[in-house]
Amino acid sequence: MTESSMDLICLGEPMVEFAQVKRGEETLYLPGFGGDTSNCAVAAARQGARVGYVTALGADSFGRDFLDLWAREGIDTRGVSTDAAAPTGIYFITYRNGEHVFSYRRNGSAASRMTPDSLPQDDLRQARVLHVSGISQAISDTACDAVFAAIAAVRAAGGLVSYDTNLRLNLWPLSRARAIIHAALAESDIALPGLDDARQLTGLTDPHRIVEFYLGLGPRVVVLTMGRLGTLVATPERQEVVPAHAVEQVDATAAGDTFDGAFLARYIAGDDPFTAARYANVAAALSTLGHGAVAPMPHAETVRKAIKEMK
């Protein structure tokens, strides 16, 4: 990568997705792509951002599928390594009572074996924004350390850090999650918590108190996604709830990741956080109109058309 060649670098664990689909009497599992920061990278790229990804993949067909996906999306993969001794992670989506249920096969994945020494330090120092998440740190101790090292590299070079809490208590206990996530947020510029996560992590219930708590840790922008209640955007000077965009939802898989990618793409492009959140709310809503994580993510022209039709 050349100097300032990437608007956004995402770091974390990509996972191959198998989504359950009923066709008559048959139950099929359709392959797709997932992993929160990879989803964010694709969403941002579809909004026109220049995006790079940092991870490790298994030397398997799933890893090659991801490289093909990122190539199609125009995502730079020079920060992606291959680990011949570990697999690419996978997960399954099933549906119960109208809700999607995730089952993971990720123990010992290639991404979980990332270390600080494996990071592309030069590329990180040239990124305008680094995006990571709680999942990026929960998958292993070495990956947790790698995230902190990536944050330090980006900040030392004057870049910004974006952090989505993405709390997964099947990966680590709440006490450790709270300590690690809040330590990372204290080194971040943009906090992207979800309301359910934030209530568990902070012990607070009121959204305004939650964003004040996170502003107090150090981020200059806090964007609290609240589902149908909209998005509470907060800076030290201003707080505003940006209304949700109503659609007939089919599958909410990766809606939050789509929001992250769309928000960051627009913020990097120069939108203030309130305007970026309005755009991202529409993008996230449109991503729920189809099944799976990546396939239904909208491109910029689709989002802009939907926004124009709202006026």
Side-chain angles (χ1 to χ4, degrees), residues 12-13 55-59 81-88 106-119 136 139-146:
E13 182 181 37
T55 192
L57 296 169
S81 61
T82 299
D83 185 338
T88 305
R106 74 193 324 163
N107 287 345
S109 71
S112 74
R113 289 155 57 97
M114 285 189 294
T115 68
D117 290 340
S118 70
L119 296 174
S136 304
I139 54 176
S140 73
D141 290 347
T142 60
C144 180
D145 292 344

Side-chain angles (χ1 to χ4, degrees), residues 111-135:
S112 74
R113 289 155 57 97
M114 285 189 294
T115 68
D117 290 340
S118 70
L119 296 174
Q121 293 284 343
D122 289 343
D123 295 341
L124 289 168
R125 283 191 287 267
Q126 292 160 7
R128 293 179 63 189
V129 177
L130 168 71
H131 177 72
V132 291
S133 78
I135 295 175

Side-chain angles (χ1 to χ4, degrees), residues 256-276:
D257 305 330
T258 302
F259 179 95
D260 289 356
F263 176 87
L264 292 171
R266 292 312 312 160
Y267 188 73
I268 290 167
D271 286 356
D272 65 65
F274 306 92
T275 303

Side-chain angles (χ1 to χ4, degrees), residues 183-201:
L185 281 169
E187 300 298 322
S188 299
D189 302 280
I190 303 165
L192 295 165
L195 181 57
D196 290 343
D197 288 1
R199 283 173 168 164
Q200 293 183 80
L201 289 165

Side-chain angles (χ1 to χ4, degrees), residues 62-109:
F62 295 149
R64 291 190 291 274
D65 288 344
F66 264 108
L67 290 172
D68 290 343
L69 166 72
W70 295 327
R72 291 194 301 272
E73 300 292 341
I75 294 171
D76 192 296
T77 57
R78 280 173 282 182
V80 177
S81 61
T82 299
D83 185 338
T88 305
I90 64 175
Y91 70 95
F92 299 85
I93 305 174
T94 56
Y95 298 89
R96 184 178 304 155
N97 299 323
E99 299 292 330
H100 51 277
V101 179
F102 295 92
S103 300
Y104 296 94
R105 300 293 183 271
R106 74 193 324 163
N107 287 345
S109 71

Side-chain angles (χ1 to χ4, degrees), residues 213-273:
F213 173 87
Y214 282 123
L215 286 171
L217 289 182
R220 66 181 72 173
V221 177
V222 178
V223 183
L224 180 68
T225 52
M226 304 184 294
R228 291 183 174 87
L229 298 176
T231 301
L232 176 56
V233 182
T235 67
E237 299 79 27
R238 174 182 169 193
Q239 294 186 20
E240 180 182 330
V241 174
V242 178
H245 180 61
V247 296
E248 292 296 325
Q249 186 178 109
V250 173
D251 180 4
T253 302
D257 305 330
T258 302
F259 179 95
D260 289 356
F263 176 87
L264 292 171
R266 292 312 312 160
Y267 188 73
I268 290 167
D271 286 356
D272 65 65

